[in-house]
Amino acid sequence: MLEPFKLLFLKPKELFFQFYRTMSHKVFVYGTLKRNEPNHHWLTNPDHGVGQFISEGRTKTKYPLIIGTKYNIPFLLHSPGDGHNVKGEVYEVDDTMLGKLDILEDHPNYYIREIDDVIVQKNGSSEEETVKCWIYFLKNFRRELLTKPQLENYSSEGSHGLPYMESNNESTIDDLDDMLQSDKIS
């Protein structure tokens, strides 16, 4: 990446390609990273890189969006065809921001980041298009989680009565045991 001072001397075409190269990831967020939610500051903190809101959207495939753990964390369970076409937001992020989001989501140890289809509205029209976005899924989950109430659209202050509770980085994998599928044979 070029130093900020050197960007002043680039021609517009070179500047565009430098920007495009570093803003090459689309990420779909469906929980506490959305605007007006408790962790949105992760996407707006310049120390984390660059995150630019692109559009609201929804998953093309239905997935179960649930709330779990003592911290009331939203989880998108990787169970295609179950649940709803989940509503969220699409952001374009640079490599630095994607790396910070991976840390927040503990990818690949807990959440798994995968490319999936998201439906958005084309710029300034009512026409829809499908875009490929990174989405953080919980893949190794206990099957009984599919019986929890499933949301189409998450809000920490929603009618579900389960506001997100900041863990202040005190949570451990033990806090998530009730979410993860056990590899042990009984």
Side-chain angles (χ1 to χ4, degrees), residues 90-154:
V90 176
Y91 288 81
E92 193 159 16
V93 302
D94 65 3
D95 292 336
T96 303
M97 180 66 76
L98 189 63
K100 294 293 185 182
L101 293 175
D102 284 350
I103 291 168
L104 175 68
E105 306 294 3
D106 197 15
H107 166 74
N109 302 314
Y110 192 62
Y111 282 100
I112 304 297
R113 177 169 47 86
E114 289 193 348
I115 294 281
D116 206 347
D117 290 332
V118 174
I119 300 169
V120 299
Q121 285 190 320
K122 285 187 177 180
N123 293 338
S125 78
S126 60
E127 213 175 313
E128 296 181 331
E129 67 179 331
T130 301
V131 295
K132 300 281 186 190
C133 296
W134 287 113
I135 302 178
Y136 291 91
F137 289 104
L138 187 62
K139 287 189 129 185
N140 186 28
F141 62 90
R142 293 180 187 262
R143 295 294 157 209
E144 56 266 23
L145 293 177
L146 292 170
T147 64
K148 283 185 159 278
Q150 299 176 7
L151 307 172
E152 178 182 19
N153 191 17
Y154 173 83

Side-chain angles (χ1 to χ4, degrees), residues 31-123:
T32 64
L33 288 167
K34 294 189 313 182
R35 293 173 295 173
N36 301 313
E37 294 297 336
N39 285 327
H40 181 69
H41 61 90
W42 276 78
L43 284 166
T44 59
N45 184 340
D47 293 339
H48 293 168
V50 179
Q52 177 69 44
F53 174 80
I54 301 296
S55 176
E56 292 180 352
R58 69 183 185 281
T59 58
K60 185 173 183 179
T61 302
K62 291 182 177 182
Y63 291 104
L65 174 60
I66 65 158
I67 298 174
T69 80
K70 65 184 179 184
Y71 298 109
N72 296 330
I73 299 171
F75 294 95
L76 192 59
L77 305 179
H78 193 269
S79 186
D82 293 326
H84 301 278
N85 299 103
V86 175
K87 294 179 181 180
E89 299 172 351
V90 176
Y91 288 81
E92 193 159 16
V93 302
D94 65 3
D95 292 336
T96 303
M97 180 66 76
L98 189 63
K100 294 293 185 182
L101 293 175
D102 284 350
I103 291 168
L104 175 68
E105 306 294 3
D106 197 15
H107 166 74
N109 302 314
Y110 192 62
Y111 282 100
I112 304 297
R113 177 169 47 86
E114 289 193 348
I115 294 281
D116 206 347
D117 290 332
V118 174
I119 300 169
V120 299
Q121 285 190 320
K122 285 187 177 180
N123 293 338

